[in-house]
Amino acid sequence: MQYRGTETLARITVDGVHHAEYLEGTHLLTAGSSGAWCFRPTQVREDIAPTADTSPRRQVNPEPPLVLADPSGGITTVDMDGVLAAADFDDDSVHLGVEHDPWTRTYRDSPAPAGYVLQRTKSWIYLPLDAAPNRVRLDDHPRSNAAGSWHTSEYADVTYNERHRRKRAVAEGIRWHWGMTDKRSNVLLVRAYRDNSRMPELELRLPGVHVAAGAAHGDQLWLLAHYAGSGKATRALMQLTAGQIEPRILTATDDLDVSSWCRPVAPEPPDHASYIRYCVRKLHGRRFSPLMHDVQAEFVGDWPYGRLHVRFKHDDYKELILVARLRLYDEQGQRLDDVTRYVPTELMEQADTRAYPDRSHAVNGVLYV
């Protein structure tokens, strides 16, 4: 699951949070046995040229558009043949919308500017959920042509998403889908499909019921629901069974004692270690200026007061090791802005202008900058 409003992905087991990863700007798409697939949409800019044979501009992607979070921990960047412009999924595969060669250009005189507009070939690549590639090549997996503008179920009708995509549970050959019939009806529609059947084995309409979450096992579905019962709004755990037309109210959750199942809040963000690895990977060994050499990055200390130390040599300070100490969290433990996005520019400008403390401030050959 991805923590709402964050870039933190957590793997949850019956024992609680197993581990967490920093998503590096991507968002959870879906998950399979090989891990969680996370996607960052690529903005494909219009390419207009003065002639029909002008080569396409190089598409620059500063961040990976597709990553795979391993169930045991760690993030793998998945490279692509072509430009990844869209992504979707179903029960068996990840659908990758890719723009690739061959390409053509078509003349357009309006809207301005006039010129030859690039048109790449568009394809959907169907990658099995259990795959774990380091690179996706066009001919390694089933592929189909994609015409027109990119379209995924993310932009489909809201009620379709609720019934068939966004709210669902699968268990032992039975697929459960639920959602409101429309925005104004206040009626919950629940359907159960067996195996690959397109006809529902069970269809229930439950007026006044709103579902927060659901899970399936065997031929049963459990829904954490909010409904109007006994003249007042009630939160309850509901159980539905395929083949039975009446739901069963197991317990009202308002009075449910869950204290024995609660766990204390972790002393640090669950993805702290993953975030540190991300920052180190982005900065370690990178020359921010031609004057800098032997750049090393490591995290020193503990959350939240530890700092990321970037150590390097400078051509004009050959007798010293220079160290920039970067804070990643504030005093309350809240994560600060991603240092990898602005620190490279700051270190470059500092190196080129020699804006460092006087050499007399060095301690044992180390000058903190």
Side-chain angles (χ1 to χ4, degrees):
M1 61 168 285
Q2 181 175 0
Y3 288 75
R4 177 176 294 180
T6 72
E7 296 183 31
T8 303
L9 178 76
R11 183 188 178 200
I12 311 297
T13 69
V14 293
D15 297 319
V17 177
H18 181 272
H19 72 276
E21 299 288 348
Y22 178 65
L23 287 182
E24 305 182 17
T26 61
H27 298 279
L28 176 63
L29 180 65
T30 186
S33 59
S34 61
W37 294 94
C38 304
F39 169 65
R40 176 192 290 105
T42 301
Q43 183 179 2
V44 182
R45 297 183 177 180
E46 195 171 52
D47 186 340
I48 303 176
T51 63
D53 58 354
T54 301
S55 298
R57 290 199 302 262
R58 183 172 177 268
Q59 182 75 27
V60 178
N61 295 322
E63 303 291 344
L66 186 68
V67 300
L68 179 62
D70 190 274
S72 59
I75 292 283
T76 299
T77 298
V78 181
D79 296 324
M80 300 290 305
D81 281 357
V83 178
L84 181 60
D88 202 357
F89 66 96
D90 58 24
D91 293 337
D92 302 312
S93 61
V94 180
H95 306 175
L96 304 176
V98 181
E99 298 188 6
H100 56 89
D101 295 338
W103 55 269
T104 60
R105 288 188 181 274
T106 304
Y107 184 76
R108 183 189 73 184
D109 55 7
S110 65
Y116 291 87
V117 181
L118 178 69
Q119 294 180 335
R120 294 182 182 271
T121 302
K122 295 182 178 181
S123 298
W124 283 107
I125 298 176
Y126 303 97
L127 187 66
L129 281 180
D130 58 358
N134 292 319
R135 186 177 189 87
V136 176
R137 295 177 174 82
L138 295 177
D139 297 324
D140 287 351
H141 304 281
R143 176 161 58 103
S144 65
N145 292 330
S149 301
W150 289 113
H151 175 83
T152 70
S153 59
E154 290 286 348
Y155 306 99
D157 177 77
V158 173
T159 57
Y160 175 90
N161 286 338
E162 288 185 331
R163 296 177 196 170
H164 302 284
R165 175 69 68 187
R166 299 298 152 228
K167 297 180 180 179
R168 66 177 181 178
V170 181
E172 300 182 19
I174 298 181
R175 294 173 288 117
W176 295 87
H177 301 281
W178 65 91
M180 307 308 291
T181 54
D182 58 59
K183 293 182 179 180
R184 293 175 291 182
S185 68
N186 201 33
V187 175
L188 177 72
L189 176 66
V190 182
R191 287 174 173 167
Y193 298 84
R194 188 173 294 277
D195 298 322
N196 296 321
S197 173
R198 296 296 180 182
M199 296 296 295
E201 178 175 305
L202 174 70
E203 179 172 311
L204 296 178
R205 294 177 181 268
L206 306 175
V209 177
H210 296 263
V211 175
H217 180 72
D219 63 348
Q220 295 179 328
L221 173 70
W222 286 268
L223 297 176
L224 188 60
H226 182 272
Y227 74 104
S230 303
K232 65 177 183 178
T234 304
R235 294 183 179 90
L237 183 64
M238 305 177 67
Q239 182 189 60
L240 290 81
T241 303
Q244 297 183 11
I245 61 174
E246 290 293 333
R248 177 187 174 196
I249 307 299
L250 295 182
T251 182
T253 60
D254 294 325
D255 302 323
L256 189 63
D257 182 10
V258 296
S259 57
S260 61
W261 297 92
C262 295
R263 297 175 176 83
V265 177
E268 63 184 35
D271 65 337
H272 170 66
S274 176
Y275 183 63
I276 295 303
R277 291 194 298 269
Y278 161 77
C279 293
V280 169
R281 186 178 72 249
K282 285 284 190 176
L283 301 178
H284 186 81
R286 180 176 173 183
R287 291 186 66 185
F288 307 106
S289 165
L291 301 175
M292 299 173 65
H293 308 277
D294 302 327
V295 179
Q296 301 177 34
E298 65 173 339
F299 186 75
V300 178
D302 300 314
W303 175 88
Y305 303 109
R307 298 195 179 193
L308 187 67
H309 285 207
V310 180
R311 306 166 62 91
F312 57 93
K313 300 284 290 184
H314 191 286
D315 284 349
D316 294 342
Y317 295 76
K318 294 182 179 179
E319 75 282 7
L320 298 174
I321 295 176
L322 281 65
V323 179
R325 295 175 291 185
L326 310 174
R327 294 181 58 189
L328 303 183
Y329 301 91
D330 63 16
E331 289 78 4
Q332 285 74 42
Q334 298 297 314
R335 186 171 295 160
L336 300 173
D337 292 340
D338 185 352
V339 297
T340 67
R341 300 185 184 276
Y342 64 87
V343 163
T345 302
E346 290 185 354
L347 292 178
M348 177 192 68
E349 293 175 347
Q350 193 178 25
D352 292 346
T353 59
R354 287 80 170 172
Y356 298 132
D358 189 82
R359 287 177 170 84
S360 62
H361 290 85
V363 178
N364 296 327
V366 176
L367 180 63
Y368 292 98
V369 299

